[in-house]
Amino acid sequence: MNLKGKKAVVTGGSRGIGKGIVLELASKGCDVVFTYNSNEEAAKAVENDLSELGVEGFGIKADASSFETTQETMKNILEKFGRVDILVNNAGITKDNPLFMMSENDFDSVIDANLKSVFNYTKAVLRPMIKQRYGRIINISSVVAITGNPGQANYVASKAGVIGMTKSNAKELASRNITVNAVCPGFIETDMTGKLNDQQKDAMLKTIPLARFGKSEDIAKVVSFLVSDSADYITGQVIAVDGGMVM
Ligand code: NAP
């Protein structure tokens, strides 16, 4: 799975799963631009990792929920990289609350960061990918998009929307040799899941047949396969990487 010479964009690549994806792609020789929202220090650390791996790459502070910012960001990336072969829509947030306590702002901001961001970035890479007749798009959804989850109506709605968009986009873009697939992580150890208390984590662990939490690398390896030539004939699929949580 050599990705040498390929150019990738990973949203939310400064921490957690996104960082794992950035480093996995880079370890296969891929040049990678990643975005982040606010944590400059974490982004700098990933930039250092990229230069140690000997590939081209850098981080851009860019709110993925903003359509205008995304258009500007992609313009800058295309000027520097010349092309984009791979897009990984990974940026995401949670603002959990039972429905009766969930504010309109908490609903809207999660939908914007998790779902609208996929629209923003996919639309921004569409023209160059269609022109070059090649593109590999991976959308990071979640297993809760399939199962539902109490206290996460906003998050689950956003991630279920990502699955719907993945399938529509896959059908729309297949004739241009652009594949679109969704990866659904289960419980992966990152800052996002670090917010849960021990009781919640213990309950979650009992639902995982492989009896361990996932690591960012578990997701990154699957993403790296899906964007490689080995997966040229796979599109519109929803792949759970969850230790068997959802069957
Ligand atoms: P994380 O550790 O909280 O990292 C989130 C990353 O996204 C950070 O790099 C963050 O940047 C960036 N980000 C957040 N909002 C953004 C925005 N509006 N614009 C640009 N970048 C933004 O999260 P994670 O656990 O790695 O999750 C990554 C993806 O996997 C998310 O889509 C999440 O929903 C999904 N997922 C995670 C799990 C899990 O168990 N962890 C399970 C299922 C699905 P800053 O550092 O600047 O904040």
Side-chain angles (χ1 to χ4, degrees):
M1 282 187 277
N2 190 345
L3 298 175
K4 203 159 175 50
K6 293 272 198 288
K7 312 281 186 193
V9 174
V10 179
T11 68
S14 57
R15 294 187 286 117
I17 292 172
K19 176 179 177 178
I21 293 169
V22 169
L23 299 182
E24 179 69 22
L25 298 183
S27 75
K28 301 278 187 302
C30 188
D31 298 323
V32 192
V33 173
F34 66 91
T35 69
Y36 62 99
N37 198 30
S38 58
N39 191 331
E40 311 257 353
E41 205 181 318
K44 283 272 165 276
V46 178
E47 284 183 339
N48 287 341
D49 291 341
L50 284 175
S51 59
E52 272 171 28
L53 285 163
V55 296
E56 265 188 69
F58 52 91
I60 302 182
K61 185 174 180 209
D63 179 1
S65 16
S66 160
F67 185 80
E68 288 73 28
T69 304
T70 302
Q71 300 305 305
E72 195 55 35
T73 304
M74 195 53 75
K75 205 170 139 237
N76 290 340
I77 293 171
L78 284 164
E79 272 168 18
K80 289 194 176 113
F81 262 8
R83 57 186 284 137
V84 173
D85 303 291
I86 296 163
L87 168 66
V88 183
N89 285 306
N90 163 80
I93 58 169
T94 52
K95 287 193 179 171
D96 298 352
N97 243 329
L99 199 51
F100 70 90
M101 287 173 63
M102 189 176 284
S103 67
E104 184 187 3
N105 185 53
D106 285 355
F107 187 83
D108 288 345
S109 55
V110 169
I111 296 289
D112 287 351
N114 298 2
L115 177 59
K116 192 176 168 220
S117 61
V118 179
F119 169 78
N120 292 343
Y121 271 90
T122 306
K123 199 163 158 63
V125 290
L126 221 49
R127 203 180 288 272
M129 279 188 178
I130 287 174
K131 217 166 144 203
Q132 72 204 16
R133 290 206 158 254
Y134 182 89
R136 297 287 172 263
I137 300 176
I138 306 296
N139 297 327
I140 304 298
S141 177
S142 168
V143 284
V144 298
I146 300 162
T147 60
N149 206 24
Q152 289 199 307
N154 50 359
Y155 183 78
V156 171
S158 71
K159 293 298 185 180
V162 168
I163 291 180
M165 208 191 304
T166 299
K167 292 180 182 180
S168 290
N169 292 353
K171 287 189 174 178
E172 212 169 298
L173 300 173
S175 64
R176 315 301 174 101
N177 191 29
I178 299 170
T179 64
V180 190
N181 291 289
V183 171
C184 291
F187 187 107
I188 311 300
E189 285 176 320
T190 66
D191 294 342
M192 184 178 274
T193 47
K195 293 180 212 159
L196 300 180
N197 63 39
D198 286 346
Q199 204 183 346
Q200 289 169 310
K201 285 185 190 167
D202 287 347
M204 202 63 78
L205 193 55
K206 290 197 179 91
T207 68
I208 305 174
L210 283 176
R212 70 165 174 88
F213 295 131
K215 298 182 188 317
S216 294
E217 298 78 50
D218 293 316
I219 307 301
K221 280 186 259 179
V222 175
V223 170
S224 145
F225 163 71
L226 287 171
V227 301
S228 76
D229 292 351
S230 306
D232 277 351
Y233 201 53
I234 301 176
T235 195
Q237 299 308 301
V238 179
I239 297 163
V241 183
D242 64 351
M245 265 172 114
V246 176
M247 294 186 189

PDB file of all heavy atoms in Angstrom, residues 12-18 35-39 62-65 90-93 113 140-142 155 159 185-188 190-193, ligand 1:
ATOM      1  N   GLY A  12      -9.355  17.947  10.869  1.00  0.00           N
ATOM      2  CA  GLY A  12      -9.203  17.570  12.282  1.00  0.00           C
ATOM      3  C   GLY A  12      -8.054  16.596  12.483  1.00  0.00           C
ATOM      4  O   GLY A  12      -8.202  15.588  13.168  1.00  0.00           O
ATOM      5  N   GLY A  13      -6.890  16.942  11.912  1.00  0.00           N
ATOM      6  CA  GLY A  13      -5.760  16.002  11.942  1.00  0.00           C
ATOM      7  C   GLY A  13      -4.745  16.279  13.034  1.00  0.00           C
ATOM      8  O   GLY A  13      -3.666  15.684  13.052  1.00  0.00           O
ATOM      9  N   SER A  14      -5.062  17.168  13.965  1.00  0.00           N
ATOM     10  CA  SER A  14      -4.049  17.534  14.965  1.00  0.00           C
ATOM     11  C   SER A  14      -4.054  16.639  16.196  1.00  0.00           C
ATOM     12  O   SER A  14      -3.083  16.608  16.954  1.00  0.00           O
ATOM     13  CB  SER A  14      -4.276  18.988  15.405  1.00  0.00           C
ATOM     14  OG  SER A  14      -5.588  19.138  15.919  1.00  0.00           O
ATOM     15  N   ARG A  15      -5.159  15.917  16.382  1.00  0.00           N
ATOM     16  CA  ARG A  15      -5.254  15.061  17.589  1.00  0.00           C
ATOM     17  C   ARG A  15      -6.032  13.791  17.241  1.00  0.00           C
ATOM     18  O   ARG A  15      -6.685  13.704  16.206  1.00  0.00           O
ATOM     19  CB  ARG A  15      -6.000  15.791  18.711  1.00  0.00           C
ATOM     20  CG  ARG A  15      -5.276  16.987  19.254  1.00  0.00           C
ATOM     21  CD  ARG A  15      -5.973  17.581  20.465  1.00  0.00           C
ATOM     22  NE  ARG A  15      -7.181  18.301  20.133  1.00  0.00           N
ATOM     23  CZ  ARG A  15      -8.402  17.966  20.536  1.00  0.00           C
ATOM     24  NH1 ARG A  15      -8.582  16.903  21.304  1.00  0.00           N
ATOM     25  NH2 ARG A  15      -9.458  18.673  20.196  1.00  0.00           N
ATOM     26  N   GLY A  16      -5.969  12.809  18.158  1.00  0.00           N
ATOM     27  CA  GLY A  16      -6.842  11.645  18.105  1.00  0.00           C
ATOM     28  C   GLY A  16      -6.785  10.848  16.803  1.00  0.00           C
ATOM     29  O   GLY A  16      -5.716  10.603  16.238  1.00  0.00           O
ATOM     30  N   ILE A  17      -7.970  10.472  16.327  1.00  0.00           N
ATOM     31  CA  ILE A  17      -8.071   9.618  15.137  1.00  0.00           C
ATOM     32  C   ILE A  17      -7.473  10.314  13.908  1.00  0.00           C
ATOM     33  O   ILE A  17      -6.752   9.699  13.120  1.00  0.00           O
ATOM     34  CB  ILE A  17      -9.557   9.247  14.892  1.00  0.00           C
ATOM     35  CG1 ILE A  17     -10.054   8.329  16.018  1.00  0.00           C
ATOM     36  CG2 ILE A  17      -9.741   8.591  13.539  1.00  0.00           C
ATOM     37  CD1 ILE A  17     -11.554   8.044  15.996  1.00  0.00           C
ATOM     38  N   GLY A  18      -7.759  11.618  13.784  1.00  0.00           N
ATOM     39  CA  GLY A  18      -7.244  12.364  12.628  1.00  0.00           C
ATOM     40  C   GLY A  18      -5.728  12.360  12.601  1.00  0.00           C
ATOM     41  O   GLY A  18      -5.114  12.150  11.542  1.00  0.00           O
ATOM     42  N   THR A  35      -6.131  19.913   8.866  1.00  0.00           N
ATOM     43  CA  THR A  35      -6.712  21.114   9.462  1.00  0.00           C
ATOM     44  C   THR A  35      -6.957  20.873  10.952  1.00  0.00           C
ATOM     45  O   THR A  35      -6.943  19.734  11.419  1.00  0.00           O
ATOM     46  CB  THR A  35      -8.055  21.494   8.800  1.00  0.00           C
ATOM     47  OG1 THR A  35      -9.034  20.513   9.146  1.00  0.00           O
ATOM     48  CG2 THR A  35      -7.917  21.597   7.292  1.00  0.00           C
ATOM     49  N   TYR A  36      -7.162  21.968  11.652  1.00  0.00           N
ATOM     50  CA  TYR A  36      -7.519  21.894  13.076  1.00  0.00           C
ATOM     51  C   TYR A  36      -8.326  23.135  13.400  1.00  0.00           C
ATOM     52  O   TYR A  36      -8.461  24.045  12.560  1.00  0.00           O
ATOM     53  CB  TYR A  36      -6.271  21.763  13.955  1.00  0.00           C
ATOM     54  CG  TYR A  36      -5.317  22.926  13.873  1.00  0.00           C
ATOM     55  CD1 TYR A  36      -5.314  23.924  14.843  1.00  0.00           C
ATOM     56  CD2 TYR A  36      -4.435  23.049  12.800  1.00  0.00           C
ATOM     57  CE1 TYR A  36      -4.445  25.008  14.754  1.00  0.00           C
ATOM     58  CE2 TYR A  36      -3.570  24.126  12.702  1.00  0.00           C
ATOM     59  CZ  TYR A  36      -3.583  25.098  13.694  1.00  0.00           C
ATOM     60  OH  TYR A  36      -2.731  26.173  13.590  1.00  0.00           O
ATOM     61  N   ASN A  37      -8.863  23.177  14.618  1.00  0.00           N
ATOM     62  CA  ASN A  37      -9.761  24.285  14.963  1.00  0.00           C
ATOM     63  C   ASN A  37      -9.101  25.329  15.848  1.00  0.00           C
ATOM     64  O   ASN A  37      -9.239  26.518  15.617  1.00  0.00           O
ATOM     65  CB  ASN A  37     -11.015  23.744  15.644  1.00  0.00           C
ATOM     66  CG  ASN A  37     -12.129  24.756  15.621  1.00  0.00           C
ATOM     67  OD1 ASN A  37     -12.223  25.568  14.713  1.00  0.00           O
ATOM     68  ND2 ASN A  37     -12.976  24.717  16.631  1.00  0.00           N
ATOM     69  N   SER A  38      -8.379  24.870  16.891  1.00  0.00           N
ATOM     70  CA  SER A  38      -7.835  25.861  17.823  1.00  0.00           C
ATOM     71  C   SER A  38      -6.505  25.457  18.474  1.00  0.00           C
ATOM     72  O   SER A  38      -5.737  26.323  18.880  1.00  0.00           O
ATOM     73  CB  SER A  38      -8.860  26.129  18.935  1.00  0.00           C
ATOM     74  OG  SER A  38      -9.150  24.920  19.598  1.00  0.00           O
ATOM     75  N   ASN A  39      -6.222  24.173  18.579  1.00  0.00           N
ATOM     76  CA  ASN A  39      -5.071  23.725  19.366  1.00  0.00           C
ATOM     77  C   ASN A  39      -3.766  23.776  18.549  1.00  0.00           C
ATOM     78  O   ASN A  39      -3.347  22.800  17.923  1.00  0.00           O
ATOM     79  CB  ASN A  39      -5.349  22.293  19.860  1.00  0.00           C
ATOM     80  CG  ASN A  39      -4.357  21.833  20.896  1.00  0.00           C
ATOM     81  OD1 ASN A  39      -3.203  22.276  20.908  1.00  0.00           O
ATOM     82  ND2 ASN A  39      -4.792  20.948  21.772  1.00  0.00           N
ATOM     83  N   ALA A  62      -8.456  26.040  10.497  1.00  0.00           N
ATOM     84  CA  ALA A  62      -9.624  26.340   9.645  1.00  0.00           C
ATOM     85  C   ALA A  62     -10.845  25.625  10.199  1.00  0.00           C
ATOM     86  O   ALA A  62     -10.866  24.392  10.287  1.00  0.00           O
ATOM     87  CB  ALA A  62      -9.345  25.868   8.219  1.00  0.00           C
ATOM     88  N   ASP A  63     -11.841  26.411  10.547  1.00  0.00           N
ATOM     89  CA  ASP A  63     -13.076  25.837  11.080  1.00  0.00           C
ATOM     90  C   ASP A  63     -13.832  25.124   9.949  1.00  0.00           C
ATOM     91  O   ASP A  63     -14.331  25.771   9.028  1.00  0.00           O
ATOM     92  CB  ASP A  63     -13.930  26.959  11.687  1.00  0.00           C
ATOM     93  CG  ASP A  63     -15.243  26.448  12.252  1.00  0.00           C
ATOM     94  OD1 ASP A  63     -15.485  25.217  12.202  1.00  0.00           O
ATOM     95  OD2 ASP A  63     -16.035  27.285  12.741  1.00  0.00           O
ATOM     96  N   ALA A  64     -13.939  23.805  10.066  1.00  0.00           N
ATOM     97  CA  ALA A  64     -14.549  23.002   8.995  1.00  0.00           C
ATOM     98  C   ALA A  64     -16.047  23.271   8.854  1.00  0.00           C
ATOM     99  O   ALA A  64     -16.641  22.934   7.829  1.00  0.00           O
ATOM    100  CB  ALA A  64     -14.307  21.519   9.265  1.00  0.00           C
ATOM    101  N   SER A  65     -16.663  23.872   9.884  1.00  0.00           N
ATOM    102  CA  SER A  65     -18.107  24.144   9.746  1.00  0.00           C
ATOM    103  C   SER A  65     -18.409  25.351   8.870  1.00  0.00           C
ATOM    104  O   SER A  65     -19.552  25.546   8.488  1.00  0.00           O
ATOM    105  CB  SER A  65     -18.807  24.338  11.091  1.00  0.00           C
ATOM    106  OG  SER A  65     -17.963  24.560  12.125  1.00  0.00           O
ATOM    107  N   ASN A  90     -12.704  14.010   8.773  1.00  0.00           N
ATOM    108  CA  ASN A  90     -12.617  13.425  10.111  1.00  0.00           C
ATOM    109  C   ASN A  90     -13.033  14.382  11.231  1.00  0.00           C
ATOM    110  O   ASN A  90     -13.461  13.931  12.295  1.00  0.00           O
ATOM    111  CB  ASN A  90     -11.162  12.958  10.340  1.00  0.00           C
ATOM    112  CG  ASN A  90     -10.859  12.715  11.801  1.00  0.00           C
ATOM    113  OD1 ASN A  90     -11.199  11.679  12.360  1.00  0.00           O
ATOM    114  ND2 ASN A  90     -10.229  13.698  12.467  1.00  0.00           N
ATOM    115  N   ALA A  91     -12.935  15.700  11.009  1.00  0.00           N
ATOM    116  CA  ALA A  91     -13.193  16.673  12.085  1.00  0.00           C
ATOM    117  C   ALA A  91     -14.561  16.416  12.709  1.00  0.00           C
ATOM    118  O   ALA A  91     -15.535  16.175  11.999  1.00  0.00           O
ATOM    119  CB  ALA A  91     -13.130  18.092  11.542  1.00  0.00           C
ATOM    120  N   GLY A  92     -14.608  16.444  14.021  1.00  0.00           N
ATOM    121  CA  GLY A  92     -15.891  16.218  14.681  1.00  0.00           C
ATOM    122  C   GLY A  92     -15.853  16.617  16.137  1.00  0.00           C
ATOM    123  O   GLY A  92     -14.782  16.698  16.756  1.00  0.00           O
ATOM    124  N   ILE A  93     -17.028  16.902  16.672  1.00  0.00           N
ATOM    125  CA  ILE A  93     -17.157  17.278  18.083  1.00  0.00           C
ATOM    126  C   ILE A  93     -18.381  16.588  18.693  1.00  0.00           C
ATOM    127  O   ILE A  93     -19.237  16.087  17.963  1.00  0.00           O
ATOM    128  CB  ILE A  93     -17.321  18.811  18.264  1.00  0.00           C
ATOM    129  CG1 ILE A  93     -18.549  19.332  17.485  1.00  0.00           C
ATOM    130  CG2 ILE A  93     -16.071  19.560  17.860  1.00  0.00           C
ATOM    131  CD1 ILE A  93     -18.933  20.773  17.822  1.00  0.00           C
ATOM    132  N   ALA A 113     -20.375  21.099  12.581  1.00  0.00           N
ATOM    133  CA  ALA A 113     -18.988  20.614  12.646  1.00  0.00           C
ATOM    134  C   ALA A 113     -18.862  19.191  12.058  1.00  0.00           C
ATOM    135  O   ALA A 113     -17.847  18.856  11.457  1.00  0.00           O
ATOM    136  CB  ALA A 113     -18.497  20.628  14.088  1.00  0.00           C
ATOM    137  N   ILE A 140     -15.553   9.971   8.177  1.00  0.00           N
ATOM    138  CA  ILE A 140     -15.557   9.291   9.475  1.00  0.00           C
ATOM    139  C   ILE A 140     -16.919   9.516  10.133  1.00  0.00           C
ATOM    140  O   ILE A 140     -17.276  10.639  10.505  1.00  0.00           O
ATOM    141  CB  ILE A 140     -14.417   9.813  10.395  1.00  0.00           C
ATOM    142  CG1 ILE A 140     -13.043   9.659   9.696  1.00  0.00           C
ATOM    143  CG2 ILE A 140     -14.446   9.048  11.716  1.00  0.00           C
ATOM    144  CD1 ILE A 140     -12.602   8.253   9.353  1.00  0.00           C
ATOM    145  N   SER A 141     -17.675   8.431  10.227  1.00  0.00           N
ATOM    146  CA  SER A 141     -18.982   8.472  10.894  1.00  0.00           C
ATOM    147  C   SER A 141     -18.799   7.903  12.300  1.00  0.00           C
ATOM    148  O   SER A 141     -17.824   8.216  12.985  1.00  0.00           O
ATOM    149  CB  SER A 141     -20.003   7.689  10.060  1.00  0.00           C
ATOM    150  OG  SER A 141     -21.245   7.657  10.696  1.00  0.00           O
ATOM    151  N   SER A 142     -19.706   7.026  12.725  1.00  0.00           N
ATOM    152  CA  SER A 142     -19.596   6.410  14.053  1.00  0.00           C
ATOM    153  C   SER A 142     -20.572   5.234  14.128  1.00  0.00           C
ATOM    154  O   SER A 142     -21.623   5.266  13.466  1.00  0.00           O
ATOM    155  CB  SER A 142     -19.965   7.426  15.135  1.00  0.00           C
ATOM    156  OG  SER A 142     -20.136   6.767  16.379  1.00  0.00           O
ATOM    157  N   TYR A 155     -25.356  14.414  17.852  1.00  0.00           N
ATOM    158  CA  TYR A 155     -24.187  13.708  17.302  1.00  0.00           C
ATOM    159  C   TYR A 155     -24.616  12.559  16.384  1.00  0.00           C
ATOM    160  O   TYR A 155     -24.109  12.402  15.272  1.00  0.00           O
ATOM    161  CB  TYR A 155     -23.355  13.181  18.473  1.00  0.00           C
ATOM    162  CG  TYR A 155     -22.073  12.482  18.080  1.00  0.00           C
ATOM    163  CD1 TYR A 155     -20.941  13.210  17.711  1.00  0.00           C
ATOM    164  CD2 TYR A 155     -21.985  11.089  18.091  1.00  0.00           C
ATOM    165  CE1 TYR A 155     -19.767  12.568  17.364  1.00  0.00           C
ATOM    166  CE2 TYR A 155     -20.810  10.444  17.747  1.00  0.00           C
ATOM    167  CZ  TYR A 155     -19.700  11.192  17.378  1.00  0.00           C
ATOM    168  OH  TYR A 155     -18.533  10.550  17.029  1.00  0.00           O
ATOM    169  N   LYS A 159     -23.943  12.021  12.395  1.00  0.00           N
ATOM    170  CA  LYS A 159     -23.165  10.881  11.875  1.00  0.00           C
ATOM    171  C   LYS A 159     -24.004   9.995  10.959  1.00  0.00           C
ATOM    172  O   LYS A 159     -23.477   9.368  10.036  1.00  0.00           O
ATOM    173  CB  LYS A 159     -22.577  10.073  13.039  1.00  0.00           C
ATOM    174  CG  LYS A 159     -21.519  10.834  13.830  1.00  0.00           C
ATOM    175  CD  LYS A 159     -20.326  11.183  12.948  1.00  0.00           C
ATOM    176  CE  LYS A 159     -19.201  11.841  13.723  1.00  0.00           C
ATOM    177  NZ  LYS A 159     -18.050  12.171  12.854  1.00  0.00           N
ATOM    178  N   PRO A 185     -15.995   4.307  13.494  1.00  0.00           N
ATOM    179  CA  PRO A 185     -15.258   3.842  14.666  1.00  0.00           C
ATOM    180  C   PRO A 185     -16.226   3.449  15.791  1.00  0.00           C
ATOM    181  O   PRO A 185     -17.325   4.013  15.909  1.00  0.00           O
ATOM    182  CB  PRO A 185     -14.430   5.064  15.085  1.00  0.00           C
ATOM    183  CG  PRO A 185     -14.438   5.992  13.918  1.00  0.00           C
ATOM    184  CD  PRO A 185     -15.729   5.733  13.216  1.00  0.00           C
ATOM    185  N   GLY A 186     -15.778   2.495  16.602  1.00  0.00           N
ATOM    186  CA  GLY A 186     -16.514   2.176  17.827  1.00  0.00           C
ATOM    187  C   GLY A 186     -16.001   3.091  18.929  1.00  0.00           C
ATOM    188  O   GLY A 186     -16.003   4.308  18.787  1.00  0.00           O
ATOM    189  N   PHE A 187     -15.526   2.507  20.023  1.00  0.00           N
ATOM    190  CA  PHE A 187     -14.977   3.316  21.125  1.00  0.00           C
ATOM    191  C   PHE A 187     -13.465   3.387  20.961  1.00  0.00           C
ATOM    192  O   PHE A 187     -12.756   2.397  21.171  1.00  0.00           O
ATOM    193  CB  PHE A 187     -15.348   2.688  22.475  1.00  0.00           C
ATOM    194  CG  PHE A 187     -14.975   3.553  23.653  1.00  0.00           C
ATOM    195  CD1 PHE A 187     -15.951   4.223  24.381  1.00  0.00           C
ATOM    196  CD2 PHE A 187     -13.644   3.718  24.034  1.00  0.00           C
ATOM    197  CE1 PHE A 187     -15.599   5.040  25.457  1.00  0.00           C
ATOM    198  CE2 PHE A 187     -13.284   4.529  25.100  1.00  0.00           C
ATOM    199  CZ  PHE A 187     -14.270   5.180  25.822  1.00  0.00           C
ATOM    200  N   ILE A 188     -12.966   4.554  20.577  1.00  0.00           N
ATOM    201  CA  ILE A 188     -11.523   4.735  20.346  1.00  0.00           C
ATOM    202  C   ILE A 188     -10.971   5.664  21.430  1.00  0.00           C
ATOM    203  O   ILE A 188     -11.595   6.688  21.742  1.00  0.00           O
ATOM    204  CB  ILE A 188     -11.272   5.352  18.938  1.00  0.00           C
ATOM    205  CG1 ILE A 188     -12.059   4.591  17.854  1.00  0.00           C
ATOM    206  CG2 ILE A 188      -9.780   5.392  18.623  1.00  0.00           C
ATOM    207  CD1 ILE A 188     -11.750   3.130  17.700  1.00  0.00           C
ATOM    208  N   THR A 190      -9.370   8.487  22.707  1.00  0.00           N
ATOM    209  CA  THR A 190      -8.905   9.822  22.294  1.00  0.00           C
ATOM    210  C   THR A 190      -9.413  10.828  23.342  1.00  0.00           C
ATOM    211  O   THR A 190     -10.126  10.445  24.279  1.00  0.00           O
ATOM    212  CB  THR A 190      -9.503  10.239  20.923  1.00  0.00           C
ATOM    213  OG1 THR A 190     -10.917  10.407  21.082  1.00  0.00           O
ATOM    214  CG2 THR A 190      -9.226   9.229  19.839  1.00  0.00           C
ATOM    215  N   ASP A 191      -9.110  12.111  23.121  1.00  0.00           N
ATOM    216  CA  ASP A 191      -9.609  13.145  24.042  1.00  0.00           C
ATOM    217  C   ASP A 191     -11.140  13.131  24.080  1.00  0.00           C
ATOM    218  O   ASP A 191     -11.742  13.416  25.114  1.00  0.00           O
ATOM    219  CB  ASP A 191      -9.147  14.542  23.584  1.00  0.00           C
ATOM    220  CG  ASP A 191      -7.647  14.693  23.676  1.00  0.00           C
ATOM    221  OD1 ASP A 191      -7.014  13.890  24.392  1.00  0.00           O
ATOM    222  OD2 ASP A 191      -7.100  15.605  23.017  1.00  0.00           O
ATOM    223  N   MET A 192     -11.754  12.815  22.920  1.00  0.00           N
ATOM    224  CA  MET A 192     -13.219  12.844  22.846  1.00  0.00           C
ATOM    225  C   MET A 192     -13.840  11.842  23.820  1.00  0.00           C
ATOM    226  O   MET A 192     -14.770  12.162  24.558  1.00  0.00           O
ATOM    227  CB  MET A 192     -13.683  12.527  21.410  1.00  0.00           C
ATOM    228  CG  MET A 192     -15.178  12.630  21.206  1.00  0.00           C
ATOM    229  SD  MET A 192     -15.667  12.314  19.498  1.00  0.00           S
ATOM    230  CE  MET A 192     -15.489  13.913  18.763  1.00  0.00           C
ATOM    231  N   THR A 193     -13.318  10.617  23.846  1.00  0.00           N
ATOM    232  CA  THR A 193     -13.874   9.597  24.747  1.00  0.00           C
ATOM    233  C   THR A 193     -13.291   9.724  26.156  1.00  0.00           C
ATOM    234  O   THR A 193     -13.850   9.188  27.104  1.00  0.00           O
ATOM    235  CB  THR A 193     -13.610   8.179  24.203  1.00  0.00           C
ATOM    236  OG1 THR A 193     -12.238   8.109  23.800  1.00  0.00           O
ATOM    237  CG2 THR A 193     -14.505   7.854  23.028  1.00  0.00           C
TER     238      THR A 193
HETATM  239  P1  NAP B   1     -10.715  14.497  19.144  1.00  0.00           P
HETATM  240  O1  NAP B   1      -9.659  13.718  19.828  1.00  0.00           O
HETATM  241  O2  NAP B   1     -11.595  15.386  19.943  1.00  0.00           O
HETATM  242  O3  NAP B   1     -10.036  15.324  17.950  1.00  0.00           O
HETATM  243  C1  NAP B   1     -10.851  16.117  17.129  1.00  0.00           C
HETATM  244  C2  NAP B   1     -10.029  16.763  16.044  1.00  0.00           C
HETATM  245  O4  NAP B   1     -10.938  17.505  15.197  1.00  0.00           O
HETATM  246  C3  NAP B   1      -9.028  17.773  16.555  1.00  0.00           C
HETATM  247  O5  NAP B   1      -7.916  17.793  15.671  1.00  0.00           O
HETATM  248  C4  NAP B   1      -9.787  19.104  16.476  1.00  0.00           C
HETATM  249  O6  NAP B   1      -8.963  20.241  16.359  1.00  0.00           O
HETATM  250  C5  NAP B   1     -10.547  18.876  15.184  1.00  0.00           C
HETATM  251  N1  NAP B   1     -11.759  19.695  15.070  1.00  0.00           N
HETATM  252  C6  NAP B   1     -12.843  19.723  15.880  1.00  0.00           C
HETATM  253  N2  NAP B   1     -13.743  20.600  15.412  1.00  0.00           N
HETATM  254  C7  NAP B   1     -13.222  21.135  14.284  1.00  0.00           C
HETATM  255  C8  NAP B   1     -13.658  22.110  13.360  1.00  0.00           C
HETATM  256  N3  NAP B   1     -14.828  22.736  13.490  1.00  0.00           N
HETATM  257  N4  NAP B   1     -12.852  22.419  12.317  1.00  0.00           N
HETATM  258  C9  NAP B   1     -11.646  21.814  12.162  1.00  0.00           C
HETATM  259  N5  NAP B   1     -11.183  20.882  12.999  1.00  0.00           N
HETATM  260  C10 NAP B   1     -11.950  20.556  14.053  1.00  0.00           C
HETATM  261  O7  NAP B   1     -11.730  13.515  18.376  1.00  0.00           O
HETATM  262  P2  NAP B   1     -11.531  12.000  17.885  1.00  0.00           P
HETATM  263  O8  NAP B   1     -11.998  11.093  18.959  1.00  0.00           O
HETATM  264  O9  NAP B   1     -10.168  11.824  17.307  1.00  0.00           O
HETATM  265  O10 NAP B   1     -12.636  11.927  16.734  1.00  0.00           O
HETATM  266  C11 NAP B   1     -12.300  12.091  15.362  1.00  0.00           C
HETATM  267  C12 NAP B   1     -13.522  11.738  14.518  1.00  0.00           C
HETATM  268  O11 NAP B   1     -13.918  10.383  14.794  1.00  0.00           O
HETATM  269  C13 NAP B   1     -14.754  12.598  14.845  1.00  0.00           C
HETATM  270  O12 NAP B   1     -15.482  12.840  13.679  1.00  0.00           O
HETATM  271  C14 NAP B   1     -15.551  11.710  15.780  1.00  0.00           C
HETATM  272  O13 NAP B   1     -16.910  12.022  15.775  1.00  0.00           O
HETATM  273  C15 NAP B   1     -15.276  10.342  15.195  1.00  0.00           C
HETATM  274  N6  NAP B   1     -15.477   9.238  16.133  1.00  0.00           N
HETATM  275  C16 NAP B   1     -14.725   9.116  17.257  1.00  0.00           C
HETATM  276  C17 NAP B   1     -14.937   8.041  18.112  1.00  0.00           C
HETATM  277  C18 NAP B   1     -14.110   7.815  19.348  1.00  0.00           C
HETATM  278  O14 NAP B   1     -14.387   6.843  20.061  1.00  0.00           O
HETATM  279  N7  NAP B   1     -13.130   8.619  19.634  1.00  0.00           N
HETATM  280  C19 NAP B   1     -15.941   7.120  17.835  1.00  0.00           C
HETATM  281  C20 NAP B   1     -16.710   7.283  16.695  1.00  0.00           C
HETATM  282  C21 NAP B   1     -16.457   8.343  15.829  1.00  0.00           C
HETATM  283  P3  NAP B   1      -8.427  21.050  17.693  1.00  0.00           P
HETATM  284  O15 NAP B   1      -7.327  20.209  18.261  1.00  0.00           O
HETATM  285  O16 NAP B   1      -7.933  22.348  17.193  1.00  0.00           O
HETATM  286  O17 NAP B   1      -9.596  21.153  18.609  1.00  0.00           O
END
